[in-house]
């Protein structure tokens, strides 16, 4: 049995900047900060890293309460922004998830999104229900730590000694996946710089070749 942990942004879906737009609006609404994310490289970073880092650049601290308030304001903005920007699934994702759902695998998420943001992104695209659980930005700002938490949850849905596979689009996914002992399948549908994915066990241009993708994810 295999445990699959999918990243969201650039791997399952492209939200065309909707997350950035919604966060920018939330920063403005909550704290009066304009263009809070300008100049930040946050590809592959968790929401719980992005928010405190953006606040710190304004000389402000971020309490646990601030994060909770941020999620409450951000998620509705995210819903609107995803519609405005016409978020969409990456190529081949839907047939792949449908095929995987009929196999002996545990389908999970490993994403830096807040859990509520992950649902806001995936539910309108019709794929939230495929995933039994996962690791999320709420668990830890650090990607390795949040993947480890998610893997622990997913093991409860799987058989003992199941192999873990992390699927992602950035060097952060590759590094964190290997750090938790997972095999890493990287996809070039997202936000990686040239060379960033070289350490992955397998690199695919996208997930549109069903047989090849299944082989990469479940082929041992
Ligand atoms: Mg990503």
């Amino acid at each position: 049995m295999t445990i699959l942990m999918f990243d969201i942004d650039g791997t399952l879906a492209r939200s065309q900047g909707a997350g950035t737009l919604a966060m920018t609006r939330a920063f403005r609404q909550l704290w009066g900060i304009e263009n809070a994310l300008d100049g930040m490289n946050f590809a592959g970073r968790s929401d719980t890293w992005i928010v405190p880092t953006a606040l710190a650049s304004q000389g402000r601290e971020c309490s646990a309460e601030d994060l909770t308030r941020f999620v409450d304001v951000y998620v509705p903005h995210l819903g609107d922004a995803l519609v405005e920007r016409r978020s969409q699934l990456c190529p081949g994702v839907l047939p792949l998830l449908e095929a995987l759902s009929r196999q002996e695998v545990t389908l999970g998420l490993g994403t830096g999104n807040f859990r509520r943001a992950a649902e806001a992104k995936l539910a309108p695209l019709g794929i939230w229900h495929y995933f039994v659980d996962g690791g999320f930005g709420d668990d830890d700002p650090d990607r390795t730590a949040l993947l480890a938490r998610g893997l622990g949850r997913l093991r409860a849905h799987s058989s003992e000694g199941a192999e873990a596979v992390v699927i992602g689009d950035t060097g952060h996914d590759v590094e964190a996946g290997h750090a938790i002992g997972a095999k890493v399948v990287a996809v070039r549908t997202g936000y990686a710089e040239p060379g960033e994915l070289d350490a992955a066990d397998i690199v695919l241009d996208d997930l549109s070749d069903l047989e090849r993708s299944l082989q990469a994810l479940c082929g041992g």
Side-chain angles (χ1 to χ4, degrees), residues 81-137:
L82 289 163
V83 174
E84 281 173 47
R85 292 293 172 92
R86 300 172 192 270
S87 73
Q88 51 188 274
L89 294 174
C90 291
V93 164
L94 193 56
L96 176 62
L97 291 175
E98 193 51 41
L100 288 169
S101 71
R102 292 191 295 269
Q103 298 211 7
E104 286 288 301
V105 300
T106 300
L107 272 173
L109 293 167
T111 171
N113 281 278
F114 296 114
R115 187 185 282 262
R116 284 173 57 196
E119 182 173 6
K121 286 181 178 180
L122 299 187
L125 297 172
I127 62 168
W128 174 248
H129 67 280
Y130 284 109
F131 302 98
V132 296
D133 210 331
F136 298 89

Side-chain angles (χ1 to χ4, degrees), residues 7-13 43-45 110-111 113 143 167-170 173 190-191:
D7 168 60
I8 292 180
D9 300 296
T11 302
L12 291 173
R45 295 289 194 179
T111 171
N113 281 278
R143 200 163 189 101
I167 306 98
D169 69 302
T170 70
D173 299 286
Y191 304 97

